[in-house]
Amino acid sequence: MRRHRQSAGALVLAAAVWGGGIPAAAPAVAASTPVTYYVDSSTGSDSNSGTSPSSPWKSLAKVSGAALNPGDTVAFNRGETFTGQLAVKRSGAAGAPITYTSYGTGSLPVITGSGVSGGDYCSTVLIKDYDHLAFDSIQIENPRTVSRPGIDDTCAYGVQVVNDKASTLSNYTFRHVTVANVNSIAQTANFDSNVQSGIAFESYALADKFDSITVEDSHFQYGTRFGVAINPETRVLNGASASNVVIRDNTCDQTGGSCFLVKWTDHALIQNNDIESSGSTGHGFQIGRGSGGWILGTTNVVIDHNVSQHSRGPHDTAGFHVDARNTNVLMQYNYFNDAQGHGVEILGNNANVILRYNVIIDSGYRTDDGGWVYTDAYDPTVGQANQLVSSGVYLYNNTLSYAVQTPSNNSSTEFRYGLKNSFMYNNVFDCTNGTTTWLHTLGTPVNNTVTHNLFNNAGAALVALDSAPVTGSPAFAGTDRSAADSFKLSSTSPARAAGVSRPDPGFDALGSGIFAGIPAVPNQDFYGHALPAGTPSIGADQS
């Protein structure tokens, strides 16, 4: 069971939210002293003071028009539904955010932009050019079904945060939040123009910057496309308009597209998230295509200890998708299982991308271009003449196993190989249950080192890349392919102590700031075992 941390912003309401009691009415205070305002859609009145549970406000319109100050809290009664749009029109301050949370007992209060007179809103919560804000212990929905004049039917957000003021907006926290059923009425003809999101941060130019965004201990379910999206629009910013983004300890279930999208960002930590069935259909209007996570145009990104399973749809539907123009990416300790498209997808113009100690199971069985690991020169941000394969990709000590037979995939998966100045070593490439893998070489790979990998039932062309291959069964410890522990090495595995030692790659940002808990040099394997001082084993298990 996931352990949730109590947020500082909700401490004033701790007795009501977690203890079941109703907090005492706030005494009369000076304007500079933080105030808690209460909102109850059943018993409230917008003519009330709002400063006690016995005299609550009623509507989102009242909250939107309130003269809130830094440190103030707006608390919605649990078990209630609030319809309309919450338009945030005040900023908090450093160390004193304006907090939107809940009080009372029962289920989370639901704020929804649908079911409103005049048609459903595009955004349930709209934040335009305001910052220092916190959202804690509320549920946000927007299942649009009725058109609203002046609003495109393709538009749908739970929370839409916009910066168009050519300055830096800072400090946004979403904690213990559920965002569900954010569905548009229609989709655009251009797939990439579908930006429907549970929570979205949008910059219109490179000067419109966001800093310090945290989304944690939250749940995202259903929705047309994204769970969380940083710069989902198709505009090319050619630099970082967001920084210090932390997305961790969240669950994501059956989104129509990717659970997480991070674009044009410097310093992002995507950690300990559990993603199930991205690219889903059948829950409202869903596009049915999406990797578990997706990055583009980023610098200094760590993707750590995530689980992504059952990604579906055409094209880019991987456990995780490293799109184009990313620099300094570390992907480690992740479990990717049953991705229809690819286990991991790495496109063009990337540099210093590190994949280590990941377990990738039964992924890449789509007929047209499915593969274990898919590397390509494609870069959607530049013209065809500037498409370049990625350089400095490190693929080492990963375990990849495949056993999927379908009538259309000829019981095989693809390894697409289009890299330069890259290294691939100490990986297990295991095909079983009558399956195999085949090599698809993109162009002429240049200056790559491939050595000390273990191949079981792999195609001859893939094995021939390796200067010192180990062949045969890896002799895994278990047989349950749905359990990561099954892919530990047995005591008799030929992969044990059969690898090669090489310096661990990294980048300067590791070990400090939002990466303080990520050492520059790894000290454990996928299963938490300490790394050996001597010759390493092949694969993600170093016990």
Side-chain angles (χ1 to χ4, degrees), residues 469-493:
V470 176
T471 58
S473 170
F476 291 131
T479 59
D480 181 359
R481 300 190 65 80
S482 66
D485 281 355
S486 294
F487 299 94
K488 293 179 178 178
L489 301 177
S490 69
S491 60
T492 59
S493 173

Side-chain angles (χ1 to χ4, degrees), residues 49-290:
S49 67
T51 55
S52 75
S54 61
S55 184
W57 293 336
K58 182 179 183 67
S59 71
L60 294 176
K62 179 66 174 181
V63 176
S64 297
L68 302 176
N69 295 305
D72 285 353
T73 297
V74 177
F76 298 91
N77 196 11
R78 284 177 172 249
E80 301 283 345
T81 297
F82 302 83
T83 60
Q85 183 180 68
L86 172 57
V88 175
K89 299 177 181 179
R90 294 291 182 113
S91 290
I98 294 174
T99 300
Y100 297 85
T101 186
S102 59
Y103 74 100
T105 59
S107 60
L108 293 178
V110 176
I111 302 174
T112 178
S114 67
V116 183
S117 176
D120 300 334
Y121 284 97
C122 169
S123 310
T124 297
V125 180
L126 177 62
I127 306 168
K128 186 174 182 181
D129 299 332
Y130 298 99
D131 62 357
H132 297 287
L133 301 167
F135 293 81
D136 193 313
S137 302
I138 58 176
Q139 181 162 329
I140 298 167
E141 300 189 355
N142 196 10
R144 296 191 66 205
T145 58
V146 180
S147 299
R148 188 176 186 87
I151 300 297
D152 197 294
D153 283 349
T154 64
C155 186
Y157 298 91
V159 180
Q160 183 183 20
V161 190
V162 177
N163 183 354
D164 64 356
K165 62 186 299 183
S167 64
T168 299
L169 299 175
S170 302
N171 297 320
Y172 300 86
T173 301
F174 294 85
R175 184 178 292 120
H176 305 156
V177 171
T178 293
V179 184
N181 304 308
V182 177
N183 298 106
S184 60
I185 300 170
Q187 73 176 44
T188 66
N190 178 359
F191 173 80
D192 288 326
S193 295
N194 288 287
V195 297
Q196 304 90 344
S197 307
I199 300 173
F201 287 80
E202 298 181 336
S203 302
Y204 288 91
L206 190 57
D208 304 332
K209 296 185 182 297
F210 292 104
D211 180 62
S212 297
I213 298 168
T214 298
V215 181
E216 63 184 356
D217 287 311
S218 293
H219 179 62
F220 299 86
Q221 188 171 40
Y222 309 146
T224 292
R225 194 170 186 190
F226 300 116
V228 178
I230 311 297
N231 290 312
E233 298 282 350
T234 57
R235 63 181 64 91
V236 177
L237 296 179
N238 289 317
S241 69
S243 56
N244 296 305
V245 174
V246 176
I247 302 172
R248 66 185 167 205
D249 297 327
N250 302 288
T251 58
C252 202
D253 180 32
Q254 301 179 71
T255 53
S258 295
C259 182
F260 306 123
L261 168 66
V262 178
K263 292 170 59 178
W264 309 116
T265 295
D266 182 14
H267 282 66
L269 175 63
I270 303 172
Q271 184 179 55
N272 198 33
N273 300 288
D274 192 341
I275 306 166
E276 295 280 338
S277 302
S278 58
S280 286
T281 58
H283 300 281
F285 195 96
Q286 294 187 291
I287 61 173
R289 168 183 165 186

Side-chain angles (χ1 to χ4, degrees), residues 425-446:
Y425 56 94
N426 296 354
N427 300 289
V428 170
F429 296 101
D430 169 57
C431 286
T432 188
N433 191 35
T435 64
T436 188
T437 187
W438 58 285
L439 178 68
H440 180 169
T441 301
L442 179 70
T444 303
V446 177

Side-chain angles (χ1 to χ4, degrees), residues 293-366:
W294 175 17
I295 60 173
L296 183 149
T298 64
T299 303
N300 301 316
V301 178
V302 174
I303 303 155
D304 175 80
H305 281 96
N306 300 285
V307 173
S308 177
Q309 302 190 83
H310 318 307
S311 299
R312 294 291 185 267
H315 305 297
D316 40 8
T317 54
F320 209 97
H321 181 190
V322 179
D323 208 312
R325 299 179 63 178
N326 301 286
T327 301
N328 296 340
V329 177
L330 173 59
M331 186 183 299
Q332 63 180 8
Y333 311 129
N334 300 286
Y335 177 66
F336 302 142
N337 176 45
D338 185 35
Q340 186 176 12
H342 322 288
V344 175
E345 181 177 15
I346 304 172
L347 295 186
N349 285 343
N350 294 294
N352 197 33
V353 178
I354 305 160
L355 283 72
R356 64 189 181 204
Y357 303 107
N358 302 287
V359 174
I360 303 173
I361 306 302
D362 291 338
S363 295
Y365 54 84
R366 190 175 57 217

Side-chain angles (χ1 to χ4, degrees), residues 511-532:
S512 63
I514 64 170
F515 306 133
I518 308 295
V521 177
N523 54 23
Q524 65 180 32
D525 69 2
F526 174 87
Y527 298 99
H529 305 131
L531 299 184

